[in-house]
PDB file of all heavy atoms in Angstrom:
ATOM      1  N   ASP A  48       2.567  32.833 -10.050  1.00 77.00           N
ATOM      2  CA  ASP A  48       1.683  32.961 -11.206  1.00 77.00           C
ATOM      3  C   ASP A  48       1.650  31.678 -12.053  1.00 77.00           C
ATOM      4  O   ASP A  48       1.680  31.704 -13.280  1.00 77.00           O
ATOM      5  CB  ASP A  48       2.089  34.143 -12.089  1.00 77.00           C
ATOM      6  CG  ASP A  48       1.722  35.485 -11.455  1.00 77.00           C
ATOM      7  OD1 ASP A  48       0.915  35.477 -10.491  1.00 77.00           O
ATOM      8  OD2 ASP A  48       2.235  36.514 -11.911  1.00 77.00           O
ATOM      9  N   ALA A  64      16.812  27.440  -8.039  1.00 90.00           N
ATOM     10  CA  ALA A  64      16.040  28.527  -8.642  1.00 90.00           C
ATOM     11  C   ALA A  64      15.858  28.274 -10.129  1.00 90.00           C
ATOM     12  O   ALA A  64      16.798  28.442 -10.924  1.00 90.00           O
ATOM     13  CB  ALA A  64      16.747  29.860  -8.417  1.00 90.00           C
ATOM     14  N   PRO A 137     -12.990  -2.417  -3.504  1.00 92.00           N
ATOM     15  CA  PRO A 137     -13.109  -1.061  -4.066  1.00 92.00           C
ATOM     16  C   PRO A 137     -13.610  -1.092  -5.508  1.00 92.00           C
ATOM     17  O   PRO A 137     -13.997  -2.142  -6.016  1.00 92.00           O
ATOM     18  CB  PRO A 137     -11.674  -0.544  -3.976  1.00 92.00           C
ATOM     19  CG  PRO A 137     -10.828  -1.768  -4.064  1.00 92.00           C
ATOM     20  CD  PRO A 137     -11.579  -2.843  -3.362  1.00 92.00           C
ATOM     21  N   ASP A 147     -13.286 -20.749 -24.376  1.00 93.00           N
ATOM     22  CA  ASP A 147     -12.352 -21.877 -24.317  1.00 93.00           C
ATOM     23  C   ASP A 147     -11.023 -21.468 -23.689  1.00 93.00           C
ATOM     24  O   ASP A 147      -9.944 -21.845 -24.149  1.00 93.00           O
ATOM     25  CB  ASP A 147     -12.117 -22.446 -25.717  1.00 93.00           C
ATOM     26  CG  ASP A 147     -13.395 -23.011 -26.326  1.00 93.00           C
ATOM     27  OD1 ASP A 147     -14.263 -23.448 -25.557  1.00 93.00           O
ATOM     28  OD2 ASP A 147     -13.515 -23.004 -27.561  1.00 93.00           O
ATOM     29  N   PHE A 199     -13.460 -14.389  -9.786  1.00 96.00           N
ATOM     30  CA  PHE A 199     -14.829 -14.877  -9.706  1.00 96.00           C
ATOM     31  C   PHE A 199     -15.283 -15.247 -11.124  1.00 96.00           C
ATOM     32  O   PHE A 199     -15.362 -14.389 -12.002  1.00 96.00           O
ATOM     33  CB  PHE A 199     -15.736 -13.815  -9.081  1.00 96.00           C
ATOM     34  CG  PHE A 199     -15.314 -13.421  -7.699  1.00 96.00           C
ATOM     35  CD1 PHE A 199     -14.379 -12.412  -7.511  1.00 96.00           C
ATOM     36  CD2 PHE A 199     -15.822 -14.076  -6.595  1.00 96.00           C
ATOM     37  CE1 PHE A 199     -13.976 -12.052  -6.239  1.00 96.00           C
ATOM     38  CE2 PHE A 199     -15.418 -13.732  -5.317  1.00 96.00           C
ATOM     39  CZ  PHE A 199     -14.491 -12.717  -5.132  1.00 96.00           C
ATOM     40  N   GLU A 255     -90.454 -19.119 -24.231  1.00 49.00           N
ATOM     41  CA  GLU A 255     -91.327 -18.145 -24.886  1.00 49.00           C
ATOM     42  C   GLU A 255     -92.410 -18.854 -25.691  1.00 49.00           C
ATOM     43  O   GLU A 255     -93.580 -18.450 -25.695  1.00 49.00           O
ATOM     44  CB  GLU A 255     -90.492 -17.248 -25.799  1.00 49.00           C
ATOM     45  CG  GLU A 255     -89.585 -16.291 -25.029  1.00 49.00           C
ATOM     46  CD  GLU A 255     -88.727 -15.464 -25.960  1.00 49.00           C
ATOM     47  OE1 GLU A 255     -88.853 -15.664 -27.198  1.00 49.00           O
ATOM     48  OE2 GLU A 255     -87.928 -14.643 -25.459  1.00 49.00           O
TER      49      GLU A 255
END
Side-chain angles (χ1 to χ4, degrees):
D48 286 345
D147 297 332
F199 301 87
E255 290 177 0

